[in-house]
């Protein structure tokens, strides 16, 4: 990490009641002493008059806090100034800090320093990013569990288990008969197979859990069907907004329209699509139809408003008898009957959607793996499975090394520089 001392406003947009200025780096203590006229006791808020060292002008009366490293959020010496939340106050303090040789932090730089200094691992950083982006209670609780280190502690346990297996193999190699120069053994150490199988089962249980993407992006529900089937009307009713244009003219919806809403604290992404038809579509409508088919392929659930049995077959699908107030599309009694016009069946549809989403999303407070984490864990499981299939102890040892490397990548012990640049770019300047 750079030896620079950085600063940034870590609170929300000004003006506000307070503006929290964060400072981190080797000169944090020197700067705090210059501005506040002395050092507060560590981790105790102290009311101080802040002055600009360049001309002695009073900047603000603020609370000053001192967090000596390594026991700080970044692992470095840190300070915080809890200012009055006016733009001019913050600008004056920033000018004074820049005058003392500090530079403004880049997005996510405080958190990145914490990661580099071992205060956070990669899984916790990803959880923190999700905490900042959470919009529903379900998202918040899952993100808090990740940021709190639930996955990190599990990864430490898995790593220790792999190391114990590796130690067994190394001991087997060390004490092999001198004639067994190629490392082959008739059998693996006693208990090895059972221990490896138990670890594989644990990793499989984690990989079978609902994933983070539907939780982060919302349970994706795509409304599909032919033109004038009532898709846009039902879409507007579900999102409780006149987001989609409604017209009796076929082909009114020509593009994909997405709206994110929360139902019962569960995040949803509802998707309105162009009417599906094979004939009579113009060039622009045809593009919309192609996009509609693509959306159906990535849906968590398709609400099919067309003739029964003619909807997509490669995704979970519910038959919807829309426009039931005027007959709608004839469907079997098992189809859900709804009317966007008079509200019939809407409450039942919402309840059914919430029930379906709860089964597909993580339980409240449960950790959900994202794609990167699932890939790392899948690689670890594959390596352990390969180890069980081998009888050559040298090859088993190599499989265990690959498993350990995959677990290290899960929490950021492996080289992940390019991915880190993208991840930390999600954070705001003061984080």
């Amino acid at each position: 990490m750079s030896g620079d001392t950085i600063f940034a406003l870590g609170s929300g947009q000004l003006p506000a009641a307070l503006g929290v200025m964060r400072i981190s780096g080797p000169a944090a203590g020197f700067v705090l002493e210059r501005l506040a006229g002395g050092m507060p006791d560590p981790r105790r808020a102290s009311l101080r008059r802040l002055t600009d060292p360049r001309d002695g002008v009073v900047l603000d009366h603020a609370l000053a806090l001192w967090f000596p490293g390594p026991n700080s959020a970044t692992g470095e010496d840190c300070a915080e100034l809890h200012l009055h939340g006016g733009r001019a106050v913050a600008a004056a303090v920033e000018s004074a800090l820049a005058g003392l040789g500090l530079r403004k932090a880049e997005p996510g730089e405080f958190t990145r320093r914490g990661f580099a200094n071992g205060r956070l691992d990669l899984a916790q950083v990803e959880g923190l990013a999700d905490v900042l982006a959470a919009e529903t209670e379900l998202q918040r609780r899952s993100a808090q569990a990740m940021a709190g280190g639930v996955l990190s502690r599990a990864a430490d346990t898995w790593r220790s288990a792999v190391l114990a297996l590796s130690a067994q193999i190394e001991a087997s190699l060390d004490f092999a008969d001198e004639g067994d120069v190629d490392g082959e053994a008739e059998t693996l150490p006693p208990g090895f197979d059972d221990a490896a199988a138990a670890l594989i089962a644990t990793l499989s249980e984690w990989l079978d859990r609902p994933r983070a993407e539907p939780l982060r992006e919302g349970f994706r529900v795509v409304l599909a069907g032919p033109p004038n089937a009532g898709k846009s009307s039902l879409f507007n009713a579900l999102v409780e907004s006149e987001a989609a244009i409604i017209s009796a003219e076929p082909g009114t919806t020509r593009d994909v329209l997405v709206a994110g809403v929360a139902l019962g604290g569960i995040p949803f992404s509802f998707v309105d699509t162009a009417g599906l038809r094979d004939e009579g579509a113009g060039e622009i409508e045809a593009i919309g139809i192609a996009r509609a088919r693509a959306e159906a392929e990535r849906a968590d659930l398709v609400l099919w408003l067309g003739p029964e049995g003619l909807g997509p077959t490669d995704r979970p699908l519910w038959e919807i008898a829309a426009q039931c107030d005027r007959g709608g599309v004839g469907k079997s009694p098992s189809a859900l009957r709804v009317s966007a016009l008079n509200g019939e069946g809407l409450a039942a549809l919402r309840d059914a959607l919430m029930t379906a989403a709860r089964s597909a999303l993580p339980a409240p407070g449960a950790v959900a793996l994202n794609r990167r984490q699932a890939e790392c864990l899948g690689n670890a499981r594959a390596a352990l499975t390969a180890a069980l299939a081998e009888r050559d102890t040298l090859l088993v040892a190599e499989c265990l090394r690959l498993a350990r490397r995959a677990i290290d990548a899960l929490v950021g012990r492996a080289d992940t520089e390019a991915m880190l640049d993208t991840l930390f770019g999600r954070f705001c300047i003061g984080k």
Side-chain angles (χ1 to χ4, degrees):
M1 293 298 293
S2 168
D4 294 349
T5 300
I6 58 174
F7 70 89
L9 197 66
S11 50
Q13 184 176 359
L14 302 179
L18 290 175
V20 179
M21 191 69 67
R22 306 183 71 194
I23 305 167
S24 180
F30 165 77
V31 169
L32 181 59
E33 188 169 11
R34 293 293 305 276
L35 264 65
M39 291 294 289
D41 293 335
R43 296 174 183 82
R44 292 178 65 91
S46 177
L47 181 62
R48 297 298 175 102
R49 183 176 69 175
L50 305 182
T51 59
D52 191 330
R54 296 172 297 183
D55 53 20
V57 171
V58 175
L59 300 170
D60 194 19
H61 288 80
L63 290 178
L65 293 98
W66 168 237
F67 303 98
N71 297 319
S72 68
T74 63
E76 305 173 324
D77 287 346
C78 290
E80 286 187 3
L81 301 173
H82 293 211
L83 311 168
H84 288 93
R87 294 190 183 95
V89 173
V93 173
E94 287 180 342
S95 176
L97 293 173
L100 289 168
L102 278 62
R103 68 169 174 84
K104 200 160 188 176
E106 298 174 358
E109 190 169 2
F110 287 94
T111 305
R112 185 159 190 163
R113 290 189 177 202
F115 170 77
N117 292 322
R119 300 297 294 173
L120 297 167
D121 65 30
L122 186 54
Q124 290 173 302
V125 170
E126 289 174 311
L128 180 56
D130 289 339
V131 168
L132 298 175
E135 295 183 352
T136 70
E137 180 66 8
L138 193 61
Q139 291 170 329
R140 182 193 69 81
R141 292 179 64 179
S142 179
Q144 287 283 14
M146 183 70 76
V150 172
L151 178 59
S152 304
R153 290 188 290 274
D156 285 341
T157 300
W158 301 331
R159 190 175 193 273
S160 296
V162 174
L163 286 172
L165 293 173
S166 296
Q168 287 184 282
I169 297 301
E170 294 299 329
S172 176
L173 288 169
D174 288 342
F175 294 103
D177 293 337
E178 290 184 3
D180 191 15
V181 293
D182 63 355
E184 291 187 3
E186 293 295 329
T187 59
L188 294 175
F192 179 90
D193 284 1
D194 289 342
L199 182 54
I200 290 170
T202 299
L203 299 186
S204 295
E205 186 273 326
W206 275 77
L207 286 166
D208 288 341
R209 295 183 179 189
R211 295 295 169 80
E213 282 72 25
L215 178 62
R216 181 184 303 141
E217 300 164 7
F219 187 74
R220 199 169 186 87
V221 179
V222 174
L223 284 73
N228 284 358
K231 298 183 299 299
S232 295
S233 296
L234 181 57
F235 175 83
N236 287 346
L238 288 170
V239 304
E240 297 183 342
S241 171
E242 297 299 318
I245 298 174
I246 300 171
S247 171
E249 179 183 345
T252 300
T253 302
R254 298 188 175 190
D255 205 349
V256 172
L257 186 59
V258 183
V261 298
L263 300 180
I266 301 172
F268 282 86
S269 288
F270 287 103
V271 184
D272 187 23
T273 61
L276 301 178
R277 56 176 172 173
D278 296 326
E279 298 178 357
E283 181 180 356
I284 296 177
E285 187 184 350
I287 295 173
I289 291 172
R291 292 180 178 179
R293 299 187 192 280
E295 284 295 332
E297 291 175 0
R298 59 188 292 253
D300 296 310
L301 174 66
V302 174
L303 301 184
W304 177 248
L305 279 67
E308 188 158 0
L310 297 184
T313 58
D314 57 346
R315 305 301 297 170
L317 179 144
W318 290 357
E319 297 283 354
I320 305 295
Q323 303 172 335
C324 65
D325 55 290
R326 51 180 178 175
V329 178
K331 293 197 175 184
S332 63
S334 61
L336 289 168
R337 294 172 53 84
V338 295
S339 168
L341 183 62
N342 63 22
E344 180 182 346
L346 281 176
L349 177 57
R350 289 193 181 97
D351 288 343
L353 287 170
M354 287 187 283
T355 299
R358 286 192 189 99
S359 65
L361 297 178
V367 168
L369 301 177
N370 61 31
R371 290 187 184 91
R372 186 199 69 82
Q373 294 161 351
E375 181 180 358
C376 292
L377 216 54
N379 290 340
R381 182 177 65 177
L384 287 168
T385 302
L388 270 182
E390 290 289 348
R391 296 293 96 180
D392 185 324
T393 49
L394 285 174
L395 294 178
V396 172
E398 174 62 12
C399 290
L400 294 176
R401 185 189 70 81
L402 292 176
R404 188 171 66 251
R405 181 177 179 182
I407 295 172
D408 285 346
L410 177 67
V411 292
R413 291 192 181 102
D415 182 17
T416 52
E417 193 66 24
M419 184 273 300
L420 290 176
D421 288 339
T422 301
L423 171 62
F424 287 108
R426 292 174 57 191
F427 288 79
C428 58
I429 295 294
K431 199 65 180 177

